[in-house]
């Protein structure tokens, strides 16, 4: 592979990191708000929140795929080891900035995963509660036929 091709792949990789930082920064408050929306029982706001998340999630998936492909085309593994190797061969000034951005991205991903997992548990609890309230065999709402 030619050196200019490698530079383009590295540039594309680094650009996706910057884009994803902005996307995760937009996603995080939506995930935080989503939990509160489950507790307010406002289906319309919850639906609107989810619809705002969808394009961000699609963009994040595309970027992740692009990064993986860039790493593979550079002959690196598409995992933390490959990223560490890539960042270690960059010029010092670029390497420091890229490592900081990668660290920021990883932190945002972890935060979003945490809120997403909590939202999943809240959603499951919410649906279980609704199911119990609407099921005819529920002792709480069953008619007393003595």
């Amino acid at each position: 592979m030619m050196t200019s091709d490698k530079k383009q792949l590295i540039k594309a990789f680094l650009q996706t990191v910057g884009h994803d930082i902005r996307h995760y920064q937009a996603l995080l408050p939506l995930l935080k708000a989503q939990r509160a929306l489950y507790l307010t029982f406002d289906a319309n706001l919850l639906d609107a929140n989810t619809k705002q998340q969808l394009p961000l999630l699609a963009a994040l998936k595309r970027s992740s795929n692009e990064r993986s492909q860039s790493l593979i085309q550079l002959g690196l593994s598409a995992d933390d080891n490959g990223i560490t190797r890539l960042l270690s061969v960059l010029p010092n000034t670029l390497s420091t900035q890229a490592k900081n951005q990668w660290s920021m991205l990883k932190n945002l991903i972890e935060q979003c995963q945490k809120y997403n997992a909590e939202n999943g548990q809240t959603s499951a609890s919410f649906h279980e509660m609704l199911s119990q309230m609407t099921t005819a065999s529920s002792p709480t709402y069953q008619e007393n036929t003595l």
Side-chain angles (χ1 to χ4, degrees):
M1 182 179 305
M2 296 176 54
T3 305
S4 66
D5 289 343
K6 286 184 179 183
K7 285 181 181 180
Q8 286 300 102
L9 288 169
I10 293 168
K11 182 178 178 182
F13 177 92
L14 296 174
Q15 285 176 336
T16 65
V17 172
H19 293 157
D20 280 2
I21 287 171
R22 289 187 293 284
H23 288 128
Y24 275 108
Q25 286 172 331
L27 180 62
L28 185 57
L30 291 171
L31 291 172
K32 288 179 179 180
Q34 186 177 23
R35 182 170 187 182
L37 291 172
Y38 279 119
L39 303 176
T40 65
F41 301 102
D42 190 328
N44 291 331
L45 286 177
L46 187 58
D47 185 53
N49 177 287
T50 302
K51 285 179 179 173
Q52 286 179 289
Q53 291 181 33
L54 293 176
L56 294 169
L57 294 170
L60 290 165
K61 183 175 181 175
R62 277 191 309 273
S63 292
S64 175
N65 289 338
E66 286 176 34
R67 273 194 302 279
S68 293
Q69 288 304 310
S70 293
L71 288 168
I72 291 167
Q73 289 177 15
L74 289 165
L76 301 169
S77 58
D79 58 15
D80 276 341
N81 291 332
I83 293 165
T84 300
R85 286 188 57 207
L86 173 65
L87 297 177
S88 70
V89 299
L90 297 175
N92 285 341
T93 54
L94 184 57
S95 177
T96 300
Q97 179 184 0
K99 286 176 184 177
N100 288 339
Q101 282 191 317
W102 184 250
S103 177
M104 181 186 295
L105 179 59
K106 284 178 67 171
N107 184 290
L108 285 165
I109 290 169
E110 288 169 6
Q111 289 180 61
C112 286
Q113 286 175 336
K114 174 184 164 251
Y115 280 100
N116 191 49
E118 289 174 4
N119 288 344
Q121 290 173 342
T122 302
S123 175
S125 297
F126 176 75
H127 288 290
E128 183 178 329
M129 180 185 67
L130 285 177
S131 175
Q132 288 175 357
M133 290 173 56
T134 59
T135 302
S137 64
S138 173
T140 308
Y141 289 83
Q142 189 174 23
E143 286 187 31
N144 195 351
T145 55
L146 292 175

